[in-house]
Amino acid sequence: MAAPVTDGFSSAQVDPVDILLVDDQPARLLAYRAILAPLAENLIEASSGAEALKHLMERECALILLDVNMPGMDGFETASMIHQHPRFEKTPIIFVTAINVSDMDRMRGYKLGAVDYVTVPIIPEILRSKVVVLAELYRKRRDLQLANLRLEQANEALRVEKARELQRLNESLRHANNELATRNTELQAQIAERVSAELRLLEVNRRKDEFLATLAHELRNPLAALGNALNALQLAERVDPLHEAMLRQLKLLVRLIDDLLDIARINRGKLTVQRTATTLRAVLDSAIEIAMPVLLADRHALEVTMPPEEVPLYADHDRLSQVFSNLLNNAAKYSASGLPIALTATSNGNDVEIVVTDTGIGLAPGKTEEIFEAFAQVDTSVERSRGGLGIGLTLVKRIVELHGGRIVAQSDGLGLGSRFTVVLPLEPIPAGVAATTPQHSTASVRCRALIVDDNHDSADTMAMMLQMLGHETECIYDPRQTNDSVASFDPDIVFLDIGMPGLSGYDVARGLRAAYGSQLTLVAVTGWGHAEDRRRTAEAGFDHHLVKPADMAAISAICNGLTPRVRA
Ligand code: ADP
């Protein structure tokens, strides 16, 4: 509050207002001035209504103290004229009257905008109080107007600033939009370019697959001719090491081409499986047989564990054999010579799980998934040295998936071996589907086999092959120990080399025949395969004649034809 309303008025009004004192009597004006001086407002004097109006034209007054009885224009007339002016219609007027005003006059005064009356003799406190209140009211109203004006100005400034900011924002938004539109156009052009590149790639890829398929087909014919020629040579001439090498390489080529054809089929979605009724044992036997040359070449001992009971499968026998022969092949390929390999199969009635474990070069962390991608080889320098195109595992995975199964590779790291686990669901065999798979089971007949060969490698690999087929074996490298070994080991079958130093296979066979009669089955294993050679071994008492390197299927067939003796 600018000033107190009662006595003890401040003499230094901070913000004085104009107060117009209108009276024709100078003494009265003097009295007003004396009474109001303590309020420290601006006191302006006028001695008539006309002079009062003139002052009002020049300034705005907070209130007017107006004598009612003035000569000429009296107080009421003056008030009426003042309030007709729009600028002063709200200016409060205090009428000063010497006599008691009638109620009628009071009414008249109020109508003309009077807010109050004071009578003469004036009581200073009362006049001061009235003036203080009205001056204060005026100040408040003026402050309020000022504040309103400032608010309006601030509002306007804010509005202008906001408008400017909005404009700036709009501007930068427009800019960003333009940039976005440009970038969008560029991107769309890039996408279009990529789509067309992708289409071109797809087309090139399709043509590559077609080319692979055609190439593989075309290569097969000359290879078949070569194979036939080699087989004919084998029948007509003595087998020599070169011939064997050629056959081996030819088989490898045929396998590579078959794999290539299969990859082309996978890529074109044309690889299918032909399910028949078979058994887990039949599938694994045939896989072992296919992988045998590789296992033997590097002298890997294969430990096979199968469920004791027969596990019927409704599956593609040949394709599944391909899966496990591939895994065995890899286990041998990626292990140093002589390291053991295990093939373990278990069944829980719903699935079969087949695990191929090796102790070879192993897989670096993070490589166990990549190797299933087509043409993926982990370390090409090593893998190339071992042959292969990097498609075997892709085929394996696809075939397993076509059987509704899955495969995972695991390894504890480089140098720590690998483990490939295949899980296949056991599909029920539909009624009326008969088994079509060749059944030469490893354990259908379990016999004791003695191998006699002065060539250690030959003898050992033959023993390994027999063991993998589930038979018990013993090897001797000196033919003169044969009788002792037969006496102690008590074999069902003896595999005899023919050309041995000291004692020939013929002689050993004759001796055994004489001593044991037909109780022993004798098999000649020789590099010579002519009719004349076969006649000579038959004459010496041999039951069978095998040409080196002996074929696993032939060995298996001979063993399965035996009736093992019941021993104590
Ligand atoms: P390939 O043997 O012809 O290269 P695969 O598809 O059979 O092709 O195998 C892909 C890659 O996986 C191989 O090059 C090798 O790096 C890795 N690999 C496969 N089997 C084994 C294994 N038993 N031990 C270690 N690495 C393996």
Side-chain angles (χ1 to χ4, degrees):
M1 195 175 266
V5 176
T6 53
D7 273 350
F9 305 100
S10 144
S11 56
Q13 184 58 258
V14 201
D15 186 14
V17 296
D18 294 345
I19 296 174
L20 185 60
L21 313 173
V22 190
D23 208 312
D24 58 318
Q25 298 178 41
R28 212 81 77 75
L29 283 172
L30 213 60
Y32 298 153
R33 190 172 276 284
I35 293 169
L36 297 178
L39 300 186
E41 306 287 8
N42 271 342
L43 302 176
I44 298 139
E45 295 173 11
S47 53
S48 64
E51 197 184 340
L53 285 171
K54 193 166 146 274
H55 277 303
L56 282 172
M57 288 300 123
E58 291 162 4
R59 58 170 56 81
E60 195 178 330
C61 291
L63 79 120
I64 303 163
L65 197 62
L66 185 59
D67 180 22
V68 172
N69 296 308
M70 288 188 295
M73 199 186 330
D74 72 3
F76 291 132
E77 277 168 304
T78 310
S80 156
M81 289 203 63
I82 289 173
H83 278 174
Q84 272 168 21
H85 196 290
R87 243 175 75 204
F88 313 123
E89 82 193 328
K90 295 247 165 60
T91 309
I93 297 171
I94 301 174
F95 283 116
V96 182
T97 159
I99 39 160
N100 269 345
V101 275
S102 69
D103 284 347
M104 278 308 290
D105 281 343
R106 232 179 246 281
M107 274 306 269
R108 194 174 157 215
Y110 286 136
K111 270 192 187 145
L112 289 170
V115 294
D116 220 338
Y117 281 87
V118 288
T119 49
V120 180
I122 291 169
I123 302 166
E125 286 74 19
I126 290 180
L127 179 63
R128 265 201 301 268
S129 294
K130 288 180 195 280
V131 169
V132 162
V133 169
L134 290 173
E136 207 49 44
L137 219 76
Y138 174 82
R139 245 193 298 272
K140 285 265 156 58
R141 202 170 52 239
R142 202 185 49 187
D143 286 354
L144 211 68
Q145 271 169 355
L146 210 68
N148 267 344
L149 191 73
R150 286 208 192 104
L151 211 67
E152 248 167 50
Q153 282 169 346
N155 260 347
E156 179 61 13
L158 208 69
R159 195 190 59 72
V160 170
E161 180 52 30
K162 279 267 166 309
R164 245 187 248 130
E165 202 171 306
L166 211 69
Q167 200 176 357
R168 274 199 304 272
L169 259 175
N170 270 343
E171 198 55 43
S172 71
L173 219 64
R174 209 173 14 252
H175 190 65
N177 262 347
N178 286 345
E179 264 185 14
L180 218 66
T182 318
R183 189 84 197 93
N184 231 357
T185 318
E186 280 170 21
L187 269 176
Q188 257 158 5
Q190 279 175 11
I191 288 172
E193 172 62 27
R194 281 210 188 139
V195 168
S196 103
E198 207 175 303
L199 286 176
R200 283 199 301 275
L201 266 178
L202 279 176
E203 175 58 19
V204 169
N205 201 30
R206 194 188 59 75
R207 277 201 230 129
K208 178 213 71 188
D209 286 339
E210 249 169 35
F211 170 74
L212 273 183
T214 318
L215 179 72
H217 269 298
E218 291 303 312
L219 283 175
R220 271 184 160 182
N221 289 336
L223 282 179
L226 259 180
N228 290 341
L230 282 173
N231 283 335
L233 271 180
Q234 191 171 23
L235 289 176
E237 291 171 22
R238 297 197 180 285
V239 180
D240 65 33
L242 267 182
H243 183 259
E244 259 174 52
M246 283 159 79
L247 259 180
R248 238 192 350 265
Q249 297 303 324
L250 189 71
K251 276 188 185 158
L252 191 67
L253 257 180
V254 170
R255 220 197 100 203
L256 285 177
I257 284 165
D258 283 346
D259 281 359
L260 265 182
L261 251 182
D262 283 343
I263 278 291
R265 281 198 192 103
I266 286 184
N267 288 346
R268 288 182 297 161
K270 289 198 173 152
L271 189 78
T272 52
V273 290
Q274 312 294 330
R275 289 181 191 258
T276 54
T278 179
T279 64
L280 179 64
R281 196 179 296 279
V283 165
L284 295 183
D285 277 355
S286 118
I288 294 171
E289 195 177 321
I290 299 167
M292 190 55 72
V294 182
L295 294 172
L296 290 178
D298 268 344
R299 311 172 67 81
H300 297 289
L302 176 68
E303 193 188 319
V304 182
T305 314
M306 294 220 204
E309 74 285 0
E310 199 67 277
V311 181
L313 292 182
Y314 185 53
D316 190 322
H317 173 273
D318 293 348
R319 285 293 185 192
L320 276 191
S321 302
Q322 188 183 358
V323 164
F324 298 108
S325 64
N326 253 326
L327 293 179
L328 288 171
N329 245 316
N330 277 354
K333 235 173 30 172
Y334 300 113
S335 299
S337 293
L339 287 180
I341 292 166
L343 172 72
T344 309
T346 48
S347 165
N348 62 8
N350 293 323
D351 306 302
V352 276
E353 185 182 272
I354 303 103
V355 186
V356 177
T357 315
D358 65 59
T359 50
I361 65 169
L363 290 159
K367 295 288 178 192
T368 49
E369 296 201 352
E370 188 183 301
I371 52 172
F372 291 104
E373 282 163 26
F375 312 116
Q377 294 187 313
V378 173
D379 169 358
T380 40
S381 58
V382 179
E383 278 68 11
R384 289 247 165 84
S385 70
R386 290 162 207 249
L389 297 171
I391 52 184
L393 286 181
T394 312
L395 275 173
V396 163
K397 185 164 190 252
R398 189 72 198 120
I399 296 170
V400 168
E401 285 170 354
L402 284 171
H403 281 89
R406 59 184 190 277
I407 178 167
V408 283
Q410 290 161 300
S411 171
D412 291 334
L414 286 177
L416 298 173
S418 311
R419 194 167 51 258
F420 288 80
T421 306
V422 175
V423 178
L424 296 168
L426 285 174
E427 300 281 342
I429 297 173
V433 173
T436 53
T437 321
Q439 310 271 330
H440 48 266
S441 154
T442 43
S444 58
V445 172
R446 196 172 161 80
C447 59
R448 284 190 193 174
L450 175 68
I451 301 119
V452 187
D453 195 331
D454 63 313
N455 182 319
H456 286 231
D457 280 353
S458 254
D460 294 348
T461 51
M462 172 68 90
M464 273 169 67
M465 224 179 327
L466 283 159
Q467 284 162 18
M468 286 175 202
L469 287 168
H471 306 295
E472 243 177 284
T473 61
E474 184 166 292
C475 281
I476 53 171
Y477 313 109
D478 182 348
R480 283 162 300 197
Q481 294 168 355
T482 310
N483 284 333
D484 291 347
S485 183
V486 170
S488 60
F489 181 55
D490 189 17
D492 301 295
I493 185 167
V494 183
F495 290 87
L496 270 171
D497 181 28
I498 297 296
M500 291 182 286
L503 200 57
S504 81
Y506 301 121
D507 296 334
V508 178
R510 279 191 205 100
L512 289 175
R513 244 333 143 234
Y516 297 95
S518 61
Q519 182 186 327
L520 276 178
T521 299
L522 301 180
V523 185
V525 188
T526 164
W528 318 109
H530 269 251
E532 172 59 16
D533 304 315
R534 291 176 188 275
R535 193 186 55 75
R536 281 191 70 190
T537 51
E539 253 178 28
F542 281 101
D543 299 298
H544 302 281
H545 182 115
L546 293 179
V547 177
K548 281 182 181 176
D551 181 45
M552 177 125 166
I555 297 170
S556 172
I558 292 173
C559 292
N560 283 345
L562 292 179
T563 318
R565 278 167 300 126
V566 180
R567 297 180 174 84

